[in-house]
Amino acid sequence: MSRRKTERLLNLVICLLATRRPLTAEQIRQAVPGYDRDNDEAFQRMFERDKSELREIGIPIEVHRDPWENEPGYRIVREAYELPEITLEPDEAAVLGLAAQVWRRASLAGAASGALLKLRAAGIDADLAEGPLELRVDTRDPAFPALWEAVRDRRVVRFGYRSASSGELRTRVVEPWGVVCRRGKWYLVGHDRDRGAPRVFRLSRIAGQVTPVGRPGAFTVPEGVDLRGMVGFQEQPPERVARVHIRPGTCLGLRHAARSVRSGPDGWDEAEVTFTDPEWFAGWIAGLGANARVVDPPDAREAVIRRLKGALR
């Protein structure tokens, strides 16, 4: 929606809320900026579209027909427009505060902050910034937002997935049942249409874009399915060690996580860092830019190179 149209719809809502009596279409035309005041046909088409769009999103525009007037009048009854008073128990408000903190580093951070602001405006304290509880989720996996939307909309997705054992990249078509976090790693649980069975996919191994297939509501999640249980049965890969060259004076987080750090060649420092999944490790190292470079093992190095080339494209 264009900014001009958004402003016109907002002005129309304000006008119909503020009026004490129903306004005719001509009165609205003169009062609301953005309507064509010279072309009657163009105004009528635009006004009808605006009314339909506002009603579709739940704004109740009422039509009043006065027997003494030739034209109908329009208004929004404030009691029908406003939400009822929101009352939350302290534990319910605490849950909402924690949920907002979960999304603080994700793409939903803006929506979460706006929701807390509205709750505070209603007199509900759901901000736990100073409280004893702290919950953060790392959602740096690029596939997360698209998969979360697909789970919400019950929409089939297609994506490239790299095998943990062979490194081979294959296309998967999946009915996404849920996205689960376990031990700091994100997993997609769903029905793999090509294999005809439930499968678990680690988000860090998803390569490229996640593409929606078909329309929303295309499948139903089986009743009683235990998403966390399915993720918990996944075999954990063995721990490995990577050698990483670090530019002096940088990458403090990586230095703290390293098993050892010593002077390396060409004035760089050399760190030994443990990891289990090359793709997740590559996302971490690639985020450090030119300050870190993986020397070995080769699959971790190649994973970093793929990330950086993808960012360049």
Side-chain angles (χ1 to χ4, degrees):
M1 185 181 296
S2 67
R3 178 179 178 181
R4 185 176 180 181
K5 181 178 181 180
T6 302
E7 291 178 348
R8 187 180 69 247
L9 291 176
L10 181 59
N11 287 329
L12 177 58
V13 171
I14 293 174
C15 177
L16 296 181
L17 273 173
T19 183
R20 294 185 178 182
R21 60 182 180 83
L23 299 177
T24 65
E26 182 60 31
Q27 290 172 324
I28 293 172
R29 180 183 187 178
Q30 299 300 322
V32 177
Y35 284 123
D36 193 328
R37 300 188 180 183
D38 300 322
N39 189 320
D40 293 343
E41 185 178 352
F43 163 70
Q44 286 296 336
R45 288 199 304 267
M46 186 178 292
F47 182 50
E48 291 300 323
R49 286 198 301 267
D50 288 351
K51 286 191 299 180
S52 297
E53 290 194 23
L54 291 177
R55 284 170 175 154
E56 286 177 1
I57 62 176
I59 298 179
I61 299 179
E62 295 188 357
V63 181
H64 297 264
R65 299 188 179 275
D66 191 326
W68 305 102
E69 298 287 345
N70 293 328
E71 295 185 48
Y74 304 91
R75 66 180 296 228
I76 298 175
V77 179
R78 187 172 295 274
E79 290 75 14
Y81 175 78
E82 293 178 340
L83 290 174
E85 181 181 357
I86 299 175
T87 57
L88 294 175
E89 297 296 328
D91 57 344
E92 295 173 327
V95 169
L96 291 178
L98 281 176
Q101 290 186 6
V102 167
W103 302 119
R104 187 160 293 172
R105 293 183 59 189
S107 59
L108 300 178
S113 299
L116 285 184
L117 182 62
K118 293 176 182 178
L119 289 174
R120 287 196 293 270
I124 298 173
D125 183 14
D127 189 356
L128 299 180
E130 303 299 329
L133 297 177
E134 180 69 16
L135 186 59
R136 294 292 177 88
V137 174
D138 186 353
T139 56
R140 66 165 57 96
D141 294 303
F144 179 87
L147 291 176
W148 184 87
E149 292 178 359
V151 170
R152 178 196 64 190
D153 298 337
R154 297 291 184 261
R155 195 169 184 179
V156 180
V157 291
R158 179 189 295 114
F159 53 82
Y161 191 73
R162 196 172 301 278
S163 171
S165 56
S166 64
E168 183 180 0
L169 184 64
R170 294 183 178 179
T171 300
R172 303 293 185 91
V173 179
V174 179
E175 299 174 3
W177 295 347
V179 185
V180 179
C181 181
R182 178 177 172 82
R183 296 179 179 176
K185 309 296 187 300
W186 284 93
Y187 300 86
L188 170 68
V189 182
H191 179 78
D192 190 323
R193 286 190 168 182
D194 295 327
R195 288 161 175 75
R199 288 290 188 272
V200 176
F201 305 91
R202 193 161 176 171
L203 266 60
S204 62
R205 298 193 187 117
I206 293 178
Q209 298 293 323
V210 176
T211 305
V213 178
R215 296 184 177 183
F219 62 90
T220 301
V221 179
E223 294 186 7
V225 62
D226 183 5
L227 301 181
R228 293 189 177 277
M230 293 177 64
V231 172
F233 280 115
Q234 295 300 298
E235 182 179 353
Q236 294 297 321
E239 190 174 82
R240 302 164 64 191
V241 178
R243 285 195 304 123
V244 183
H245 287 174
I246 308 173
R247 195 182 300 275
T250 65
C251 306
L252 296 181
L254 182 61
R255 292 173 182 272
H256 285 301
R259 191 167 65 175
S260 65
V261 180
R262 59 180 177 270
S263 297
D266 302 326
W268 290 61
D269 296 332
E270 184 173 284
E272 290 188 351
V273 186
T274 58
F275 72 100
T276 56
D277 180 63
E279 295 298 327
W280 180 89
F281 183 67
W284 181 22
I285 301 300
L288 300 176
N291 292 322
R293 59 192 186 195
V294 177
V295 179
D296 57 41
D299 59 340
R301 178 180 173 83
E302 291 300 320
V304 174
I305 293 174
R306 282 196 304 271
R307 296 268 182 145
L308 294 177
K309 286 183 175 179
L312 180 61
R313 286 195 297 268

